[in-house]
Amino acid sequence: QVQLVESGGGLVQAGGSLRLSCAASGRTFSSYAMAWFRQAPGKDRECVARIAWSVTNRYYADSVKGRFTISRDNAKNTVYLQMNSLKPEDTAVYYCAQDRNPWRSGWLSSSDEYTYWGQGTQVTVSS
């Protein structure tokens, strides 16, 4: 059974930065793409970033491109989301998720493509 545990959320002023972490356990981490989703109150869950099993392939939603960076450390079984220039509209619960199949690349943004999810971490950006 895979476990994903997020950390690093919090309250930050607009223009500030936060770094989210997601520690994984349970199956070969390096074989699977990982993604970060977010869900704001009353809105659908949105994929904001994805990193393939091959570390160099990274994908971003237009809403965060140029501000967020996804990365992974396979030796630590951890994926990160560095969030800069935060805006009030980035306020949401952020979730990490693991691809349902190994060795996949490409921008797979549907939650149906992911089997395992973390519990979520709240990010609040004040104006």
Side-chain angles (χ1 to χ4, degrees), residues 77-104:
N77 287 0
T78 301
V79 62
Y80 305 96
L81 185 68
Q82 178 67 45
M83 305 186 293
N84 298 330
S85 303
L86 282 161
K87 304 175 181 180
E89 52 263 43
D90 294 318
T91 296
V93 178
Y94 283 71
Y95 301 89
C96 67
Q98 189 174 70
D99 199 321
R100 59 183 171 85
N101 290 326
W103 314 118
R104 297 205 296 179

Side-chain angles (χ1 to χ4, degrees), residues 20-103:
L20 306 183
S21 300
C22 172
S25 62
R27 61 180 181 179
T28 308
F29 177 77
S30 59
S31 302
Y32 291 85
M34 299 292 296
W36 286 96
F37 285 74
R38 68 185 180 187
Q39 189 166 20
K43 295 190 176 181
D44 293 335
R45 190 168 293 191
E46 171 193 23
C47 186
V48 297
R50 171 178 163 92
I51 185 166
W53 61 272
S54 58
V55 175
T56 53
N57 292 339
R58 311 180 195 197
Y59 313 89
Y60 299 95
D62 288 343
S63 57
V64 306
K65 203 170 291 183
R67 301 188 297 120
F68 290 11
T69 302
I70 189 170
S71 61
R72 64 190 297 162
D73 184 339
N74 288 336
K76 295 182 178 180
N77 287 0
T78 301
V79 62
Y80 305 96
L81 185 68
Q82 178 67 45
M83 305 186 293
N84 298 330
S85 303
L86 282 161
K87 304 175 181 180
E89 52 263 43
D90 294 318
T91 296
V93 178
Y94 283 71
Y95 301 89
C96 67
Q98 189 174 70
D99 199 321
R100 59 183 171 85
N101 290 326
W103 314 118

